Amino acid sequence: MGRCVNDVFDFYKPVGGISSEYPAVDGHLSVRTYLNALDECYRNFQHWHTKITQKKPTVKDFHSVLFHAPFCKIVQKAMARLVYTDMTKENGLINGSSSALASALTEEMRDKFNELKSIPTEKTYMDRDFNKFSMELSQDVFDQKVSPYMEFNRRLGNMYTASLYAQLIDLVAISSQECLVNKRILMYSYGGGYYQKMVKSAKSACQRLDQRNKCSPEQYSQSMKSREDLIKAGSPYVPVHASNGLKMDLFANTYYLANIDKSFVREYKRHF
């Protein structure tokens, strides 16, 4: 198991007391922190695994690789770093390794690889040449081990803690039982969370993506406005959808907020 813990204010709430719905985000710092944590976790994981099994693992040892996904592009960058790290650690281009990745490189790509190895690690996080080359280098691996399981991420956006475990749901939903027997999955969790009862409902969760109702940008903005009003409202408060009988496009058996009393006690009801 690989761990990394650090105190970084790249993404945080509350902002201005409890009156803001949105966090403060330092985009560049957040990307650097994510990738730096990935590097350290992978290094610690390889050390731990080698100590236990006397074999250093690489991404090729895993059926699939799943990531926390704030946005999809950073997941591809993350996979690219793991592949690049594996090739560097194995010295595949120096010692004539027979690995598939190393042997598939053109002479021009080998030269570029060796050139980029001279860049200090902390500068690679935001280096466009490095990210472009490493993503090209790892494209086939990404397409095979990561991309097939990102349907929820592409269609739902950032789900925070759920973003990693949504990929696990997708993996289980589209894979046969025989395909996953004795297979190993590498998962990078950036933050905390749990995935109780996910496997049981994997296929129905994927089907629900196509059962959602489309809304206009104006309707979406109104929904966000309602959420902002809720955060600022204080108590007591009755949400708009509950006070005027608006039609709620919710799946059956979904719970929704019906009322907040003067003591901030929340009442939820079930949508049938």
Side-chain angles (χ1 to χ4, degrees), residues 9-38:
F9 276 78
D10 63 316
F11 183 102
Y12 56 94
K13 288 178 70 175
V15 181
I18 61 172
S19 62
S20 176
E21 165 68 352
Y22 308 106
V25 182
D26 183 330
H28 283 187
L29 177 59
S30 187
V31 169
R32 289 198 302 271
T33 301
Y34 178 100
L35 297 176
N36 174 257
L38 173 71

Side-chain angles (χ1 to χ4, degrees), residues 59-128:
V59 293
K60 67 184 179 183
D61 298 318
F62 297 92
H63 170 274
S64 48
V65 186
L66 313 181
F67 296 87
H68 173 76
F71 53 93
C72 292
K73 189 63 172 287
I74 200 172
V75 172
Q76 188 168 5
K77 289 182 179 180
M79 188 63 192
R81 293 194 72 84
L82 299 190
V83 171
Y84 178 86
T85 297
D86 287 344
M87 294 185 70
T88 303
K89 296 291 185 183
E90 292 175 353
N91 294 317
L93 302 181
I94 297 176
N95 298 331
S97 168
S98 60
S99 71
L101 281 172
S103 60
L105 295 183
T106 64
E107 184 175 348
E108 181 180 357
M109 293 179 74
R110 289 169 182 263
D111 291 341
K112 185 67 174 179
F113 182 92
N114 287 315
E115 175 189 333
L116 292 174
K117 284 200 302 183
S118 64
I119 301 176
T121 299
E122 62 272 13
K123 292 186 177 181
T124 62
Y125 300 130
M126 306 305 293
D127 188 282
R128 291 188 177 184

Side-chain angles (χ1 to χ4, degrees), residues 230-243:
L230 168 63
I231 296 297
K232 299 175 182 178
S235 67
Y237 180 73
V238 179
V240 173
H241 58 260
S243 63

